Amino acid sequence: MGPLGISVSGFAVEKLFHFNLRRLVLAFLTADIALAAIYAVAVLNGEVPKLFDLDGEGNIGAWWSGTKFFLAGALVFAVSLLRLPEISKTLPFYRVVAFGFVFLSLDEICAIHERLTKFSVSNIPAMPLFRGDHGAWIFIYGAVGLGLLVALRKPILRVATGDRQATALIIAGMMLVVLGGVVVEIAGYYKMIGSYRIQVLLEELLELVGTTLIANGAALHLAKSCAIALEHRPPATRPVDPSPSMAPVAPAPGE
């Protein structure tokens, strides 16, 4: 048996995934830093290509972050398909989290939150806003997120207790995303950051690294769940030979 009560085969799967996961994290972080560096160099040169303009829509950074959110959603959904007692007890939680990551992927790529702010400014007079009629989406997303945290607090604690490392990665990633997409964004509304380009760079870099942690945390949780699923596989049974026995029949007494 390996640690955490996982069988040798399951432990081998998890260890192999850990090894490859470290490489994957390094590759993702390299891509994150490269995108931020290309943007910074382009800003210094005075001309930012549209594909690398982290402040625009449809740029490579948005697609890259959106892809990682989608990957996280797909991995969490894959966990929900495993036939394990603990997962069955928290199945709605896994489905909600998977849907949430896919929605954030669409939001990152299609800039849904920006369109939501424009709609709110035009159609909801009572909507609270930050300076310059910005940030309506922060109040809406914040209310939805808080509601989900309260509603799902029990399965969150159950999953976090069972897989602390993956949970820590996902929580750390979400904190970086919120720090970049909300805190730095609000600071920008009030001109608390000297340069707008620095604000964009800081905001997007935090989101890029955050989505990397989230995707890899989801991958780690799937790896551990698969290892446990291997442990719970029913033992293989030998097939019964339907043919009659070929052993010689003992003669009856007196023959």
Side-chain angles (χ1 to χ4, degrees), residues 107 112-114 116-117 120 127-131 134-146 177-190 203:
D107 180 69
I112 295 174
H113 62 283
E114 294 180 5
L116 184 59
T117 293
S120 301
M127 174 62 67
L129 297 166
F130 293 100
R131 178 185 291 180
H134 292 298
W137 68 272
I138 294 175
F139 295 100
I140 298 172
Y141 282 27
V144 173
L146 183 60
V177 170
V178 171
L179 181 61
V182 177
V183 177
V184 174
E185 182 94 355
I186 294 174
Y189 297 154
Y190 292 93
E203 177 182 339

Side-chain angles (χ1 to χ4, degrees), residues 69 101 104 169-179 210 213-214:
F69 267 133
F101 284 147
L104 290 175
L169 276 174
I170 293 174
I171 291 176
M174 288 302 300
M175 290 176 66
L176 288 179
V177 170
V178 171
L179 181 61
L213 296 182
I214 291 168

Side-chain angles (χ1 to χ4, degrees), residues 202-219:
L202 180 60
E203 177 182 339
E204 298 301 326
L205 181 58
L206 287 169
E207 291 184 13
L208 286 167
V209 175
T211 51
T212 287
L213 296 182
I214 291 168
N216 285 280

